[in-house]
Structures are given as structure tokens and as C-alpha cells.
Amino acid sequence: MLACIILVSWLALLWLYFLWSRRRYYKAAWQLPGPVGWPFIGMGLQMMNPQTFLQYMDGLSHKYKAPFISWMGTNCFLYVNDPQTVEQIFNSTHCTNKGDFYRFMSSAIGDGLFTSSSPRWQKHRRLINPAFGRQILCNFLPIFNAEADVLLEKLDVEGVQSGKSLEIYEILKKIVLEAACQTTMGKRMNFQHDGSKAIFEAYSGITEVCVKRMLSPWLYPELIYRWSRLFDRQQKVVGVLFGFVEQLLQPAVSVVGVEDADASKQLEEEQHQHQHQRQQQQQRRIKSKSIFIEQVREHVERGQQMSWQDVRDEANVIIAATFETTSTALYFTILCLAMHPEYQEKLHDELCAELPEHGDISIEQLERLSYTEMAINESMRLFAPVPMVLRRAGQDLELKRDDGVYLIPSGTQIGIDIYNMQRDVRVWGPLARTYNPEAHFGPDAPTRHAFAFVPFTKGLRMCIGYRYALLLMKLLLAKIFRCYRISTAARLEQLLVKGNISLKLKEYPLCRVERR
């Protein structure tokens, strides 16, 4: 009996100590009240379904005054969906680290730029940043143009000639991943011509696994998770992805480098060629050294604070992030234009005015496509490629709201709901949930808050590849809609989205392709 009393007393003291150590979180929750949730799992039961997660959070944002505090497991969770607070978070030096839940991704695919924390993130960002500079991206245009031509051929054969409706997303994913492999790793993989289904299923599977774990607090402890079926699935898809990345990392001459070798032989054989050809050859050599894999390989060889394990992690994350977000944003732009033929025709008019009927597209031509950019921005507003991002308060943070200033304790997990913020009528007006490029991004559109539209985030940790994604999307859209008309029977209000690392649909509608 005495032993039981002592045990209960110790447990009570431990429980009181646990509550006392978290008193600052409870004070913040009292000041910024949100849904309480259940002990130990918080809102886990309500949020565990990715297919209803975004809709559930949208409902909470109208029931409680955001930003508000709730709980995920035992983690204090600050929910944010207004531009003023988003600006404070993205610009704060105390919130540059991703949320703790991203550790589930880093443990699965590696600790790259998308998931890493300072000082590792700052160091790697500085080393990798030159690979995504504007001049380097211009060097990728021949690859983008070539892959666009492959896409047009695919649409013509499978859509126009067969007369069948297509699930365009599957075709786009192969094109974007092919472009990503060539421009970052220097390898052509020919995804259109081989059995690459397992790779795409693995990329889709790893994001689903990580999100499922993020929304299931009972799977947070590593010991419990390793006994779950979800862990078994993770191991299978990670094995496929690691094998794919190792294949990409095998020493090989880059896509540009193959051209360099052929040109070098020609220079040796033809001794009397013009001097400017030698200069062009040198420029191509410089280009081949500019891609991601060549730059990081040089950092490793020079011993500049990167190991080959770092390279593997960064390659895995960069390929995944580039492929997932760009293909998602590109698909939703095509789908929105297919559902709204009036805007598709305006886009076509611009393309006819600015581009030749055939041939490659230059950077100068792309920069003149203002309506094309409006169409892309409007689709990314309605369908944010990354619907929610997580940050962690590294130190105490003073949060300003219209009714006062509130202290957010160090260690608070912060969820920025980009998807619902960019559809909020309180921010975007009565047409917020409709597709209307001119109303929201046209020259006569009302001025919005600078952080009301953040598809690639903003501030101190803005996406390193946003220029790359916009350039590739613009070029592919220009090539597609210059030659083809795309239509679908689907309607905007019928689309059912799923909350994932990148936005997904429950069902992907078929599209019909016609040659102009």
C-alpha cells in the first residue's frame, strides 16, 4: 500500500512538473484561444485525414480568430492564415527553421535545404545558391525547349491522333522530372520511354507517408513508428528513391558536357576554324560547370564544408522539391485554363503576338509574356503548390495582432496556411474562389498586401528554385497553348483537394487536346 502511495505521489509530482515547465505555452493558448483537442494527441483525430485537413482548418479559421493556438500531440501549435502575421513570421530571424514535424521528412529522404535548420541551412544555401542564378537558368533554355517539344509530341500522339481524353498530370510529371534531372544532375533519363512508374509512385508515396505521420501524433515516437505499417511502406519507397538518386550521382558527362566533348574533337581535327568558335566552346564548358551537381562536387573536392552524404541529401531533396512543386503548379494552371476557355483564348492571343509559330523560345520572349505570368499566378493563388508550411520559433517572438501584442514562446510550432489564405474573401474580395487572372493580377487589380500571395514563400527563407519553376512553367505553357487547345468537363467547384507536402487532387479529371 505504501509503495502504491509513493508511486502515485511521484507520478503526480512528475505531472505537475510537466505542466509547470509548459506554463508559457498555456498562457499563450489562453490569450490566443483555439480548439483544445484531446490530451496527448491534441487535434490529431480531427486532422488525421489529408483529404479533409485543409477544409477543416478553413472552418476553424472562421470559428476562431486567427492567429490562434491549438495542439498537435503535446506540441504547442500556432495557426496563421492572415498576411500581416505571415509577414512577421517569414521576416523574423527567430523563425527561419522549419517546424519539428519536418524531421519526419529528413529522416526519410535526407536533411536537405527543404528540411534543414541553421546553421546547416545557411551554409548549404550559400554554397548551392549560385546554381540557381538568373544567368545559369538562361543556360537551361535549350533543355527546356527540347523537353517542351517532347511534351508536344506526346500530346499530339496520345491526345490528338488517338482522339482520347488524357490525364495530363502523368505526362507533365515525366517531362518536369526529366528537365530537373538534366538541369541539376546533368543526366538524361528518358522517362517517356522506359518503365519509370516505380519512381513516380515512390515520390508520391514518400510525401503521403510523411504527411500521414505529421497528422498522427501517436506515431511521433520513433519506437512506436518503427512497428507501424506506415514505416514498412516508407522503407520500400525510400529504397526506390535512394537507388534512383545514386544512379543520378554516378560519374557521367553532363548533358552540356557531351556537346563539349564533340566540339573539342572537332576543334582538334579542324585546326583552322574561326576564333569565335573557340570562345563559344569555352562558354559551353563554363555552363556545364554551373549545374548543381558540378558545383557541389567542386565544393566536396575542395573540402568546403560539404561531404558526399550532404550531396546525396541535397540531391534527393532538390530533385523531389523541383519535380513535385513545379509539376503541380503547371498542372493546375493548365487545368484552370481548360476550365475557362475565355482566358485560354486571351493567352493564345498573347502567344501569337509575341512568339513565332515554330522554333525555340528565348528568355527575352518569355519576359514579354505578361498575360501568361498572370495566368500562372492566378492558378498558384487558387491552388498553392505547397498548401501549408511549418516553422519553429527559435526564440520568444512578439506577435502583433489588431487587438494587441502577444508573446509566442520559444519552441512553438507555427503552421502557415497558404492555401486558405490565398482563397480568403477577407483578403482577396468576393471573387477570391474564382479563377480570374485580370481581377487579381491585372493592371487594374486592387493593391493587395505584399504577403497575401506567397506560393514560394517569402522573406528570409524564400524558395531557392522559384525562378527556375517560373521559367520552366512559362516556357511549357507557351509551347502548349501556342499549338493546342485544351478542354475539360470538370468544373472548379467540383475539384476535391488533398493536403499534402504539395497539393494533390482526390481525382484528376481528364482533358481533351485539339490542334489549333
Side-chain angles (χ1 to χ4, degrees):
M1 186 63 181
L2 180 61
C4 290
I5 294 173
I6 294 174
L7 179 61
V8 170
S9 300
W10 271 108
L11 291 175
L13 287 173
L14 286 174
W15 178 248
L16 288 173
Y17 175 77
F18 175 75
L19 296 177
W20 177 255
S21 66
R22 296 163 55 81
R23 63 192 182 280
R24 302 175 75 237
Y25 296 135
Y26 299 136
K27 180 181 179 180
W30 178 265
Q31 295 175 332
L32 299 170
V36 177
W38 296 89
F40 299 108
I41 63 172
M43 294 191 297
L45 289 178
Q46 296 94 323
M47 296 170 61
M48 65 182 295
N49 187 355
Q51 296 186 16
T52 59
F53 167 68
L54 292 172
Q55 295 82 349
Y56 175 71
M57 297 309 297
D58 184 41
L60 290 181
S61 71
H62 289 83
K63 184 176 180 181
Y64 300 94
K65 181 178 175 60
F68 61 75
I69 282 182
S70 189
W71 307 89
M72 277 299 292
T74 58
N75 293 285
C76 182
F77 181 82
L78 176 70
Y79 173 84
V80 175
N81 76 337
D82 65 284
Q84 294 78 15
T85 309
V86 170
E87 180 179 17
Q88 294 178 65
I89 301 299
F90 282 160
N91 284 336
S92 173
T93 57
H94 302 330
C95 298
T96 56
N97 288 339
K98 292 295 185 79
D100 290 348
F101 299 138
Y102 282 103
R103 72 181 187 273
F104 304 144
M105 286 196 66
S106 62
S107 66
I109 64 173
D111 196 16
L113 283 181
F114 185 74
T115 58
S116 60
S117 299
S118 299
R120 177 187 172 92
W121 171 78
Q122 292 170 322
K123 178 183 69 176
H124 286 199
R125 173 80 180 229
R126 185 179 66 254
L127 294 174
I128 296 172
N129 206 50
F132 291 89
R134 186 181 186 278
Q135 186 55 49
I136 304 305
L137 297 183
C138 292
N139 297 338
F140 296 158
L141 282 178
I143 293 174
F144 290 169
N145 275 289
E147 290 308 312
D149 292 338
V150 174
L151 173 59
L152 295 187
E153 182 181 355
K154 198 80 172 175
L155 293 176
D156 197 74
V157 172
E158 296 189 10
V160 177
Q161 296 179 25
S162 69
K164 296 179 180 179
S165 295
L166 303 176
E167 187 180 314
I168 291 181
Y169 187 44
E170 293 301 318
I171 300 175
L172 294 177
K173 286 194 296 185
K174 292 183 178 181
I175 292 294
V176 173
L177 185 57
E178 182 70 62
C181 290
Q182 292 186 49
T183 53
T184 60
M185 309 302 290
K187 281 196 174 183
R188 181 177 286 109
M189 304 302 294
N190 295 317
F191 292 114
Q192 298 289 348
H193 307 294
D194 65 10
S196 55
K197 184 178 179 181
I199 295 173
F200 294 96
E201 289 180 345
Y203 275 119
S204 177
I206 194 61
T207 57
E208 290 178 3
V209 165
C210 291
V211 168
K212 185 69 175 176
R213 190 180 180 191
M214 287 179 186
L215 300 179
S216 306
W218 48 91
L219 294 178
Y220 290 176
E222 194 68 24
L223 184 62
I224 297 175
Y225 178 63
R226 286 181 175 273
W227 286 92
S228 69
R229 293 181 180 179
L230 204 62
F231 177 74
D232 294 337
R233 186 185 178 196
Q234 173 182 306
Q235 293 300 93
K236 291 178 182 178
V237 296
V238 165
V240 173
L241 293 180
F242 279 13
F244 171 58
V245 171
E246 285 297 327
Q247 182 183 357
L248 289 174
L249 288 172
Q250 291 301 314
V253 182
S254 73
V255 174
V256 183
V258 173
E259 298 174 4
D260 294 344
D262 293 340
S264 296
K265 291 178 181 178
Q266 186 178 1
L267 286 171
E268 294 173 0
E269 295 171 359
E270 301 177 10
Q271 298 293 326
H272 304 291
Q273 278 199 338
H274 199 270
Q275 182 65 25
H276 81 274
Q277 290 179 321
R278 295 179 183 273
Q279 294 173 351
Q280 292 176 346
Q281 175 67 12
Q282 180 63 26
Q283 289 174 355
R284 286 201 296 270
R285 285 197 184 98
I286 293 172
K287 290 178 184 178
S288 70
K289 291 293 184 182
S290 300
I291 65 173
F292 162 79
I293 186 59
E294 297 297 338
Q295 290 202 12
V296 295
R297 180 179 286 129
E298 188 173 335
H299 292 318
V300 172
E301 291 172 353
R302 291 182 178 181
Q304 293 181 326
Q305 300 179 323
M306 284 193 84
S307 65
W308 272 113
Q309 184 57 50
D310 293 333
V311 172
R312 291 185 183 91
D313 290 348
E314 296 294 355
N316 211 347
V317 171
I318 282 178
I319 291 291
T322 303
F323 151 66
E324 278 284 337
T325 56
T326 307
S327 60
T328 296
L330 178 62
Y331 170 74
F332 278 114
T333 304
I334 294 174
L335 185 61
C336 285
L337 290 167
M339 292 187 291
H340 298 84
E342 67 275 22
Y343 301 124
Q344 186 177 158
E345 291 307 311
K346 291 183 179 181
L347 173 66
H348 178 68
D349 291 342
E350 177 183 74
L351 298 177
C352 289
E354 298 292 345
L355 303 179
E357 188 171 351
H358 302 289
D360 288 352
I361 300 176
S362 68
I363 187 67
E364 293 78 17
Q365 291 169 330
L366 287 175
E367 289 174 345
R368 294 198 298 266
L369 300 181
S370 57
Y371 196 88
T372 305
E373 188 166 330
M374 285 165 51
I376 294 172
N377 286 341
E378 178 67 344
S379 69
M380 291 195 297
R381 183 192 66 82
L382 270 179
F383 299 99
V386 180
M388 179 174 280
V389 296
L390 303 175
R391 296 290 174 86
R392 181 182 186 274
Q395 298 181 31
D396 289 354
L397 174 70
E398 285 191 346
L399 194 68
K400 297 177 182 178
R401 205 168 70 164
D402 54 11
D403 57 352
V405 178
Y406 299 90
L407 183 70
I408 306 302
S410 172
T412 300
Q413 307 300 307
I414 305 171
I416 297 100
D417 189 351
I418 297 174
Y419 176 84
N420 285 311
M421 179 183 71
Q422 294 184 170
R423 290 170 150 250
D424 196 332
V425 295
R426 294 168 293 187
V427 178
W428 291 90
L431 299 178
R433 304 208 172 195
T434 64
Y435 183 81
N436 192 323
E438 296 166 22
H440 299 123
F441 294 98
D444 298 325
T447 302
R448 315 285 181 186
H449 192 285
F451 283 73
F453 178 65
V454 287
F456 298 103
T457 73
K458 277 187 178 180
L460 301 178
R461 194 161 178 168
M462 187 172 183
C463 173
I464 192 174
Y466 78 96
R467 290 192 189 92
Y468 177 103
L470 286 175
L471 189 68
L472 178 56
M473 284 192 289
K474 232 179 178 182
L475 191 145
L476 291 176
L477 284 172
K479 287 267 191 173
I480 292 170
F481 288 105
R482 180 69 176 84
C483 301
Y484 298 98
R485 179 183 290 107
I486 299 180
S487 59
T488 181
R491 292 294 172 261
L492 198 64
E493 59 274 10
Q494 297 172 339
L495 302 180
L496 300 176
V497 299
K498 297 195 301 183
N500 210 314
I501 302 298
S502 62
L503 195 67
K504 304 294 181 185
L505 288 178
K506 185 177 180 181
E507 294 181 1
Y508 287 83
L510 299 178
C511 293
R512 191 167 188 83
V513 182
E514 303 173 70
R515 191 183 295 115
R516 287 188 179 270

